Amino acid sequence: MRKPLTSTFFAAGLLAAAASTASASSHREAPGIAEDQYVDNTDVYVFISPGDASKLVIVANYVPLLIPSSGPNFYRFSDDAIYEIHIDNDGDAVADLTYRYQFDTATKNGGTFLYNTGAIDSLGSANLNVTQHYRLQRIDEHTGRRTTVIDRGQVAPWNVGKRSFPGNGYESVALQAVATAGGVRSFAGPRDEPFFVDLHVFDLLGVGGAPTTDGVNVMSLVLEVPIAELAKGGVRPAAGVASKDSVLGVYASASRRKVRILRERRDSDELGSYVQVSRLGWPLVNEVIIPLRDKDKYNRSLPKDDVKNFGAYILDPEVPKLLSAVLGANCAPKPAAGRTDIVGLLSPNGTTAADLLRIKINQGQTFADSSFPNGRKLTDDVTDTLLTVACNSGAAIGDGVNANDKAFTATFPHLASPHSGNP
Amino acid sequence: MIERRVIASFLCASEPACVTSARSASCRGALLGAALVALALVALAPSACEGGRGERAAAPSPPPLAPTATQAPEHAGSQDDLANALDLAADSVTAGVNEQVRRAWRGKTVRWQVTRVPALCGDADACYVQPFASARRGARSAHGWLPEVRFAAGERERMLAACASLEACAITLEATLGELVVSDEQPTSVRLDQARLVGAARAPG
């Protein structure tokens, strides 16, 4: 049985980092990104598809902790940002492939404040006043070649409420937003927040098993791609091969234009090249490994430089010291070599250690094998796993929250339907 | 050091010869120039006319030139010194302070004891070492950077031989601090170039 924390879970490091509201895997984890919610990465999940072991599912969530009843301007993706999923397929922590989402919002009738002017029964409903579409591109980072995978996918609408989606009809409308192109499937839209954790740690370390992320939503990008299209050279490695190429590394990011000019008499202008403002691979790295002084710098930097930039934080993490000092968790002392065990988790098969979510893609790997840190399933209790690893005392440590409030599905897009704004 | 007899002959050149023609412009110019130089030489050298026409009492020897603060020390400082400088720069509101730190350290020779672990310094392509064996006592904050080490020819092999199978090897390196990124926007990073192994032992702890 896991021993629940009786006091804080990450203690001072997280308290300092978490600003004024709740924080989960990587929600509002840095001072800069806390002021730009729409481009804040929250979580990345990667797992072999439960329905087709030849495919990989990647979930990249953004825009944290969304209240369901959040009208009149319901949450969406930013039209002025690019959202990207990066794939390293040769183990050097440098992206070889990138899937890029760009969004565009349209309003049918600007003369009303209403998001929808009547009940909605399909994505194409004339009553859906505000719609958002996206283009999905695949970028070969070696050649620079861009291929449009989905030219005009539609973002699933917000689950406004029972009057807008009568008869529990929301999910059937939302699932119409699943787009298919060749062997690729894509979904963009609101989902139930899948990360489960007790955030009462921020009330003077008062954690105790409360499921504090229940009932909120998040904006999700869900991508399902044939593994062979992601693997180096287009060939899925054979079973049993333990090479750098048999592990994919995944991280998500968001970028904004370098310059924004606010105008007095019209909308602002966004100019210049894109600058990365957020990134995430593993859960909880920028939350509790990187201290305040480096959090914004972390978001601007690339995983390939993680060792030289932040390696000392990994080798000598703050979390176990706090667990011992505050909770009496009796965590193991840091070895002379530092926490090379954590470095090893970040560098399977001799890949370059970096904050990438890595998953083995050999022939024969299945959904059942996709368990953090070999990928990450929606049901994986990464909080408990990382606390236990960090403390390294031989005892399991947890926060007392072990499951999501809603069940995940075996069918794409796998995340649960978002909470209604008016249930 | 200019020999006294040279100075004496210079200053105590035959006066009668020059006096009789002192009124000529060329001689006056020569005398003025000689006087200026003489003043400079007198300031630097022992008594110039000893043994020559017009003996003078020997001036006391000036003290030897003292080392100034601008002279670079043999080694630029420890990694703790660098970390403290970075902390001060991070706290400073003075413009250009990051550049000052870069200039003070980049290109300098350092001799640091660091910890090498195979997981981060076993590959010929990349070697990163821990600059701090444990949390810096009394330090204002922790630092995340691990110096990248580029060894001089043959030195990596020496290091591998010295560390052998040690999981944590305390190595003393003498190297040039080749790259130092100090920025308000970017993470701090350090690179040591032409690193030479000075010593190695099992790391404590």
Side-chain angles (χ1 to χ4, degrees), chain B residues 129-177:
Chain B
V129 293
Q130 297 181 70
F132 310 107
S134 58
R136 295 158 55 232
R137 287 203 179 87
R140 192 180 69 83
S141 64
H143 285 253
W145 44 271
L146 297 182
E148 178 187 358
V149 178
R150 295 185 180 178
F151 289 96
E155 293 296 315
R156 178 176 173 271
E157 289 73 20
R158 286 189 62 226
M159 182 275 294
L160 291 174
C163 289
S165 59
L166 289 174
E167 183 57 26
C169 185
I171 56 175
T172 301
L173 300 175
E174 187 167 283
T176 301
L177 206 154

Side-chain angles (χ1 to χ4, degrees), chain A residues 244 291 293-294 296-298 300-301 304 306-313 315-316 321 334-338 340 343-344 347 353, chain B residues 86-87 90 115 117 119-120 128 130 133 135 140-146 167-168 179 183-189 203-205:
Chain A
K244 294 180 184 181
R293 74 187 302 183
D294 278 343
D296 289 335
K297 296 179 182 181
Y298 174 90
R300 295 187 197 104
S301 62
K304 71 179 180 66
D306 281 344
V307 170
K308 74 172 184 178
N309 290 341
F310 312 112
Y313 299 139
L315 291 172
D316 189 12
K321 299 172 192 174
K334 179 180 75 74
T340 53
V343 173
S347 54
Chain B
L86 293 170
D87 285 343
T115 305
V117 298
L120 294 173
Y128 300 92
Q130 297 181 70
R140 192 180 69 83
S141 64
H143 285 253
W145 44 271
L146 297 182
E167 183 57 26
E179 181 186 273
S183 167
D184 291 338
E185 291 81 27
Q186 295 297 317
T188 299
S189 64

Side-chain angles (χ1 to χ4, degrees), chain B residues 12-39:
Chain B
C12 302
S14 173
E15 286 187 11
C18 204
V19 167
T20 57
S21 63
R23 291 187 180 82
S24 76
S26 60
C27 191
R28 283 199 297 273
L31 280 174
L32 178 61
L36 289 173
V37 175
L39 282 174

